[in-house]
Amino acid sequence: MKRGLIIGYGNPLRKDDGVGWHVAQQFQDELFAASVSILALHQLTPELAEDMSQADLVILIDAEEGTVPGAIQCRRIEPQPAATSAFTHQFDPPTLLALVQEFFAVCPTVYLLTVCGGDFGYGEEFSPPVRAALPELKTQVITLLQSQDVL
């Protein structure tokens, strides 16, 4: 069976920005599959390249700013090296995938699921549109895992 990795990231103390972190935490409690590892993080860092190199499918979950709060977008990520060679503490998904490819000579399938946030102020609660989008977001994660033979 293929191996999957779910990485939910964001700041759980900044309302909708914490949606990725929150969903990953929920999956840690609800999804018991030996074939899937789950991480809830504040940001993407270079150290994740090793974890990603061991997966066939990586699903990244994050919030983004946009015009329709609660809207979910799913896009496949392709590797794209950073414009500079300086290491930083935060990587975007294409740069992180390029790092995986460069250091481990593998390129897992990576999808980024984003939810358009409506409120990024201080607090732990989600805006109503993001709260309403949570079941669909979780369904899309499960569908991706199943379509890639991870579950």
Side-chain angles (χ1 to χ4, degrees):
M1 180 169 273
K2 293 183 178 180
R3 303 239 351 117
L5 174 62
I6 298 170
I7 302 173
Y9 60 101
N11 185 343
L13 300 177
R14 294 299 301 261
K15 296 190 176 182
D16 292 347
D17 188 51
V19 70
W21 184 91
H22 175 77
V23 168
Q25 289 283 68
Q26 284 188 335
F27 275 126
Q28 286 177 339
D29 295 337
E30 300 168 3
L31 183 64
F32 301 104
S35 60
V36 180
S37 299
I38 303 163
L39 299 172
L41 306 168
H42 289 277
Q43 62 187 10
L44 299 178
T45 60
E47 296 81 7
L48 291 170
E50 184 174 5
D51 294 316
M52 291 175 65
S53 74
Q54 298 171 17
D56 298 293
L57 172 68
V58 178
I59 300 172
L60 304 170
I61 307 168
D62 192 18
E64 68 179 357
E65 293 187 72
T67 57
V68 183
I72 299 170
Q73 183 177 20
C74 178
R75 58 188 174 270
R76 185 157 178 187
I77 301 300
E78 298 297 333
Q80 182 176 344
T84 69
S85 61
F87 277 82
T88 66
H89 292 289
Q90 185 170 357
F91 275 54
D92 65 9
T95 302
L96 185 55
L97 184 55
L99 198 64
V100 172
Q101 193 173 41
E102 179 180 348
F103 289 132
F104 297 96
V106 297
C107 190
T109 301
V110 178
Y111 287 95
L112 174 62
L113 286 167
T114 56
V115 180
C116 182
D119 187 349
F120 292 91
Y122 293 104
E124 295 182 43
E125 68 280 353
F126 297 128
S127 64
V130 169
R131 190 175 329 107
L134 289 175
E136 175 59 26
L137 179 61
K138 290 171 70 176
T139 297
Q140 286 191 30
V141 170
I142 296 296
T143 299
L144 281 171
L145 291 169
Q146 290 172 337
S147 72
Q148 299 292 315
D149 296 323
V150 176
L151 283 183

